[in-house]
Amino acid sequence: MSRRRVAILISGRGSNMVSLIEAARAGDYPAEIALVLSNRPDAAGLDWAREAGISTCVIDHKAHPTREDFEHAMDAALASHAIDFICLAGFMRVLTEGFVERWSGQMVNIHPSLLPLFRGTQTHRRALEEGVLVHGCTVHFVVPELDAGPIIAQAVVPVVPGDTQDSLAARVIVQEHKLYPAALRMICDGTARLENGKVVFSHGWNADGALHSPS
Ligand code: GAR
């Protein structure tokens, strides 16, 4: 099977981007990272990607008068790199329904909570405020409604007494870095696919790919 050509969209640090690029270095990984695209010229992840020899592209949302103009510029960059799959990795722009529909079934996101809990921002602070005992992260297909798409994979971490936002975030991000490459593998090798708005898993499903839980 030929490797899927993946673009990673970032806005900042890019640690999930790094985990995807490193996973894709394996000879048997079903995706190659063909482009890193940032909406912010100063995103730290861009330097890392350039040094790793990955094509990068900056499309500054501030240089485009409307969301549609910004997204058409992104579409042109994605087309010129023959991208067939998008991973959002800390990409902090809300996408229009038009863009999301154009990439339906071909765009995923990682979110730092166990969706459908804690959509939006400040997920670790809100988890602590609610007193949940488990927290985590989710990889899901992107749909027009924010952080609402069909779930592909989740990782669970405990919330322990004395946790702060930082300690909880640090525990979750370790799992994000394992979960995202595992989820992208399942999508690109056909183990997980979107059908009629639901994720369908083939017989290749296993807990290492779709569900990570604390020991
Ligand atoms: C990650 O924790 C990711 O889950 C989150 O932003 C961080 C980006 O870190 N994404 C969202 O909150 C999207 N709603 P990174 O740039 O180091 O990958």
Side-chain angles (χ1 to χ4, degrees):
M1 186 197 275
S2 66
R3 301 172 97 201
R4 309 290 301 276
R5 290 178 61 80
V6 171
I8 305 175
L9 272 50
I10 65 169
S11 298
R13 177 177 63 174
S15 70
N16 277 292
M17 172 206 78
V18 170
S19 72
L20 292 169
I21 291 172
E22 289 187 336
R25 285 184 175 141
D28 69 341
Y29 199 77
E32 67 177 290
I33 309 306
L35 178 66
V36 169
L37 188 158
S38 173
N39 66 307
R40 296 183 56 115
D42 59 350
L46 283 169
D47 287 337
W48 198 99
R50 286 185 194 115
E51 276 166 31
I54 309 279
S55 294
T56 62
C57 165
V58 174
I59 299 183
D60 187 346
H61 61 277
K62 291 188 191 142
H64 293 83
T66 66
R67 279 189 195 277
E68 283 77 10
D69 283 340
F70 166 64
E71 292 174 352
H72 283 134
M74 288 208 296
D75 272 329
L78 295 164
S80 77
H81 288 81
I83 296 303
D84 40 38
F85 206 87
I86 296 174
C87 288
L88 305 181
F91 184 70
M92 295 309 200
R93 296 298 294 168
V94 173
L95 297 164
T96 66
E97 187 167 346
F99 186 88
V100 171
E101 295 297 356
R102 282 199 291 287
W103 289 93
S104 176
Q106 295 166 268
M107 178 160 59
V108 294
N109 179 46
I110 188 156
H111 182 75
S113 78
L114 292 173
L115 291 173
L117 291 174
F118 312 127
R119 293 174 178 167
T121 59
Q122 301 281 321
T123 58
H124 307 309
R125 177 179 63 71
R126 288 155 61 210
L128 290 172
E129 280 172 7
E130 293 294 342
V132 293
L133 297 182
V134 292
H135 186 46
C137 52
T138 302
V139 178
H140 64 93
F141 282 105
V142 177
V143 297
E145 193 181 344
L146 198 64
D147 301 329
I151 290 170
I152 302 154
Q154 293 188 302
V156 180
V157 302
V159 180
V160 302
D163 259 338
T164 63
Q165 284 186 57
D166 286 348
S167 65
L168 190 51
R171 195 172 304 122
V172 171
I173 197 85
V174 169
Q175 296 304 319
E176 291 190 42
H177 295 162
K178 295 178 183 169
L179 191 72
Y180 214 173
L184 183 62
R185 175 186 282 280
M186 288 198 306
I187 298 156
C188 290
D189 72 8
T191 302
R193 63 185 190 282
L194 190 63
E195 250 182 49
N196 302 320
K198 299 262 184 229
V199 177
V200 176
F201 295 100
S202 74
H203 56 270
W205 187 92
N206 67 63
D208 290 341
L211 179 66
H212 293 229
S213 53
S215 53

